[in-house]
Amino acid sequence: MRRRGIGVTLVATFAVVAGPALATAAAAPDPARHVDSATIQLPAAPAVGQTARLAVMVDSEIVGSTTAGPLSVDLGVSREVTGVDANTGAYSTRSVMEDIAVGQAPPGFDVSVLESVRSMSVLQQFDATGAPLGPGVAENAVSDEQSDGGRRLMRLMAVTTVGYPSEPVAVGASWSSSGTASDTSGISVDVVYQCRLVAVEGRTFTIEVSFAQDFSIADPLHGQIDATISGQGTLQGSLDNVLLVSGAITQTVDGVTTSNGVTTPLSADSSIQIAPA
């Protein structure tokens, strides 16, 4: 029998990464990123000054946890490309957490951890394929609580950040990309995304994404967790602005937790969405 799961809905996802500062010179001109009529280079060419405002909406129902219950969060994020390395194509961004509102929260959930990220800015760095180069860093965190809240939100949003092939691809092409999947409790698991380019319409491209990964971790909140995290969905990107992303991914965590010799079922059904504000 299928257990009742945890529902999670997110909008806008990125991975935060720290690294050496990149030069703020504009990227070399790149005419439309088209190689020929059948293939295209992804993602869009980054350029200093590109901006996007994204809405992040989180709705979850936590089950099989010490903080069981509903959680809803609305977050507005403004992003800007701050540097591009003309030699490697790597680029850096700054993301500012502008608006955040926590609606419902389960008993025992520390709402202040998330609310504390308001006005915090996060520095990020990506390689030329759009893949994050490492964990993120808060530029202006004023407390450990704020840093923790920022990390939680960035991990949640990271599920919609995928890397692309280094060579041009045509519609129907498939590839894999390393990434991270998380849930609202703070569990974070390294996964491999299986991606496929399914459409290019005008200046917008669409990819299908799926992943599945068994994991076993010791978590301070839940104890020992043995489970599988899996997901699938569709994302859209812009051929003109590397920061513009939209789409939705459903995600499931299914397994057990063991604490003080007691084993408890744990499951989470999530819908992660991302869109320009």
Side-chain angles (χ1 to χ4, degrees):
M1 180 179 296
R2 182 175 178 83
R3 293 186 293 273
R4 181 165 173 258
I6 305 171
V8 181
T9 303
L10 307 176
V11 177
T13 8
F14 351 96
V16 180
V17 294
L22 298 178
T24 55
D30 188 338
R33 304 279 276 178
H34 284 281
V35 177
D36 58 42
S37 59
T39 63
I40 191 167
Q41 185 71 55
L42 302 173
V48 173
Q50 284 179 342
T51 61
R53 191 174 190 280
L54 298 158
V56 180
M57 296 175 290
V58 182
D59 292 304
S60 68
E61 181 69 27
I62 303 173
V63 177
S65 166
T66 56
T67 55
L71 173 65
S72 62
V73 181
D74 291 343
L75 176 68
V77 181
S78 290
R79 304 186 69 204
E80 179 181 8
V81 175
T82 57
V84 179
D85 189 317
N87 295 319
T88 66
Y91 60 98
S92 59
T93 69
R94 174 178 287 109
S95 301
V96 179
M97 313 297 172
E98 293 184 337
D99 307 314
I100 184 166
V102 179
Q104 300 183 87
F109 189 92
D110 188 356
V111 172
S112 64
V113 171
L114 296 181
E115 290 182 332
S116 68
V117 306
R118 187 179 289 110
S119 299
M120 186 177 72
S121 62
V122 176
L123 300 179
Q124 307 174 271
Q125 190 176 358
F126 303 84
D127 68 16
T129 73
L133 294 176
V137 62
E139 184 178 30
N140 59 341
V142 296
S143 66
D144 291 342
E145 181 181 68
Q146 190 177 46
S147 293
D148 181 58
R151 283 192 296 268
R152 282 197 185 195
L153 288 174
M154 291 303 100
R155 287 170 180 166
L156 285 169
M157 293 187 291
V159 74
T160 59
T161 301
V162 302
Y164 295 91
S166 57
E167 300 297 327
V169 293
V171 171
S174 299
W175 67 93
S176 59
S177 171
S178 298
T180 303
S182 302
D183 72 4
T184 53
S185 70
I187 296 170
S188 183
V189 180
D190 291 336
V191 299
V192 175
Y193 300 117
Q194 303 300 325
C195 308
R196 186 168 74 94
L197 178 63
V198 296
V200 178
E201 299 177 346
R203 305 301 298 164
T204 300
F205 63 89
T206 302
I207 65 171
E208 293 177 343
V209 180
S210 63
F211 59 90
Q213 180 64 53
D214 296 333
F215 67 95
S216 180
I217 61 175
D219 180 74
L221 182 62
H222 301 90
Q224 178 68 31
I225 301 176
D226 298 285
T228 299
I229 188 167
S230 60
Q232 61 183 0
T234 303
L235 299 174
Q236 291 80 41
S238 167
L239 294 176
D240 300 312
N241 187 336
V242 71
L243 301 178
L244 287 177
V245 186
S246 62
I249 293 178
T250 59
Q251 177 180 286
T252 297
V253 176
D254 189 25
V256 297
T257 65
T258 303
S259 180
N260 297 321
V262 178
T263 298
T264 305
L266 174 68
S267 64
D269 295 326
S270 312
S271 173
I272 298 125
Q273 301 177 352
I274 175 173

